[in-house]
Amino acid sequence: MITAALLLTAASIAVIDGDTFDVAGERVRIANIDAPELRRAQCDAERRLAELAKRRLEELLAGDDIEVVPGDPGTGRKKDRNGRTLAVIKRGGADIGELMIAEGLVRPWEGKRRSWCEQD
């Protein structure tokens, strides 16, 4: 279990989707973002954006100087309801979640899931 800030190498990371990856047998969810669902997409637009978010996370985690800071700074929680470790992820000191939000691939986590599909 990741209990303190940890530096990673790209070779040790397997990206699952736009906000989740595995490292050293542990599943980590980026605490401060909400990414579109890849496996349970509700519409084509969500599925396309989910693919883009996953690819971008793979790119961002492919470099050196990846830091995992465990815990959700907003709530103090260490795990999500699915047992994944919550963490803020940084590369070269920059918050990866904030970068992905700025790029429009994910949105800030607001404590609950919202639809990524247009509501008529």
Side-chain angles (χ1 to χ4, degrees), residues 17-21 28-34 57 61 85-89 95-98 100 109:
D17 60 23
D19 62 11
T20 306
F21 61 92
V28 178
R29 183 178 184 283
I30 300 175
N32 55 343
I33 64 173
D34 177 25
L57 184 58
L61 294 178
T85 296
L86 293 169
V88 174
I89 312 303
D95 184 316
I96 286 179
E98 293 296 326
M100 292 180 70
W109 176 249

Side-chain angles (χ1 to χ4, degrees), residues 65-94:
D65 199 20
I66 305 299
E67 182 181 9
V68 177
V69 182
D72 181 341
T75 66
R77 293 183 327 152
K78 302 289 184 199
K79 298 274 186 181
D80 72 1
R81 63 187 173 108
N82 296 315
R84 298 175 292 191
T85 296
L86 293 169
V88 174
I89 312 303
K90 297 180 179 185
R91 178 177 175 194

Side-chain angles (χ1 to χ4, degrees), residues 18-120:
D19 62 11
T20 306
F21 61 92
D22 287 342
V23 61
E26 187 166 349
R27 186 140 299 178
V28 178
R29 183 178 184 283
I30 300 175
N32 55 343
I33 64 173
D34 177 25
E37 292 295 322
L38 187 59
R39 293 191 176 110
R40 294 183 313 253
Q42 300 290 314
C43 62
D44 287 338
E46 180 178 13
R47 185 172 289 105
R48 284 191 301 272
L49 188 57
E51 287 287 345
L52 291 173
K54 178 183 179 186
R55 278 188 292 221
R56 183 61 174 139
L57 184 58
E58 287 171 336
E59 291 170 2
L60 291 167
L61 294 178
D64 293 329
D65 199 20
I66 305 299
E67 182 181 9
V68 177
V69 182
D72 181 341
T75 66
R77 293 183 327 152
K78 302 289 184 199
K79 298 274 186 181
D80 72 1
R81 63 187 173 108
N82 296 315
R84 298 175 292 191
T85 296
L86 293 169
V88 174
I89 312 303
K90 297 180 179 185
R91 178 177 175 194
D95 184 316
I96 286 179
E98 293 296 326
L99 289 170
M100 292 180 70
I101 290 168
E103 293 173 0
L105 298 170
V106 301
R107 57 185 168 217
W109 176 249
E110 298 174 344
K112 65 177 183 171
R113 290 209 169 275
R114 293 186 338 215
S115 176
W116 287 90
C117 302
E118 293 289 325
Q119 300 296 320
D120 295 328

Side-chain angles (χ1 to χ4, degrees), residues 1-24:
M1 175 197 273
I2 300 170
T3 58
L6 173 68
L7 288 176
L8 303 176
T9 62
S12 66
I13 299 170
V15 174
I16 306 302
D17 60 23
D19 62 11
T20 306
F21 61 92
D22 287 342
V23 61

